[in-house]
Amino acid sequence: MSKQSKAKRDKRKKLQPKRPINRLNAQQPVQNHAVLTNEEGQVVAAIGLQGTEWLLAIGGQTMGNADNPVPMLAMLKHLSNVQEKEGRKVNLEYSTQLQQLIDDLAADEGKTADEYLAQLVSEFEGVEGEDGDEGDADATAEDAQVVEPAEAADAADATPAASDDKPQA
């Protein structure tokens, strides 16, 4: 290797056109398809499409992604209903592409788009009710009372050696 090889190499590099830096996570821009805004016009939540993946953003942060945006739209619709029940004015707008997707899914089930979306929203309302029941101490105590007598009868019928081998819950 000659003493001037580094100088030649540096000169050649300077003459080459600049290459853009390709980031490993270079992503396509996000296209908004559903936006939930409050009465001041601030975006509360949004659904966007990035490449082939649908993203859910709440409060400016990406909260999740999916291949199907319809459950996320139902979640935003449910959030909108909750906000309106609390007396806040919100506005949910979504794109024609998202509306077409809902129309196609609703047609597959033989429903209108509004009926289909209302059914999905009602599923979110049902989830809240189930969570409330699980936290109810009275319901838990009643369940335990129903189960315990059956276990006690089984334990009384079992031989003492069998009951010693099996710890009771």
Side-chain angles (χ1 to χ4, degrees), residues 5-169:
S5 62
K6 181 177 181 333
K8 288 179 185 177
R9 187 173 58 245
D10 290 344
K11 183 178 177 184
R12 189 176 58 243
K13 282 185 180 180
K14 283 184 181 180
L15 293 176
Q16 288 179 346
K18 298 287 182 191
R19 305 184 313 188
I21 297 174
N22 290 329
R23 305 262 185 237
L24 291 176
N25 265 345
Q27 297 289 330
Q28 297 174 341
V30 177
Q31 302 168 350
N32 283 337
H33 281 272
V35 178
L36 180 66
T37 56
N38 63 10
E39 54 193 11
E40 289 88 32
Q42 297 172 332
V43 176
V44 176
I47 298 172
L49 180 63
Q50 185 175 37
T52 59
E53 193 168 52
W54 292 90
L55 303 173
L56 173 66
I58 299 175
Q61 294 184 355
T62 303
M63 300 305 248
N65 55 8
D67 295 330
N68 184 2
V70 177
M72 291 189 284
L73 181 62
M75 191 183 322
L76 287 186
K77 185 82 169 156
H78 173 67
L79 179 62
S80 153
N81 293 343
V82 169
Q83 294 290 316
E84 288 178 358
K85 285 179 186 175
E86 293 177 357
R88 296 185 188 100
K89 175 97 172 81
V90 293
N91 185 26
L92 178 62
E93 297 177 359
Y94 43 95
S95 69
T96 54
Q97 181 181 357
L98 199 51
Q99 181 63 50
Q100 184 62 44
L101 185 61
I102 295 167
D103 291 340
D104 293 343
L105 290 172
D108 290 344
E109 292 193 14
K111 299 180 180 179
T112 66
D114 292 334
E115 290 172 346
Y116 182 74
L117 197 55
Q119 175 191 358
L120 292 175
V121 169
S122 69
E123 290 175 8
F124 281 104
E125 291 170 356
V127 168
E128 283 183 358
E130 290 174 9
D131 289 345
D133 288 345
E134 289 176 6
D136 189 11
D138 294 334
T140 307
E142 289 174 8
D143 292 342
Q145 291 172 357
V146 171
V147 174
E148 286 178 350
E151 289 177 356
D154 291 340
D157 292 339
T159 61
S163 63
D164 290 341
D165 293 339
K166 288 179 14 182
Q168 292 187 359

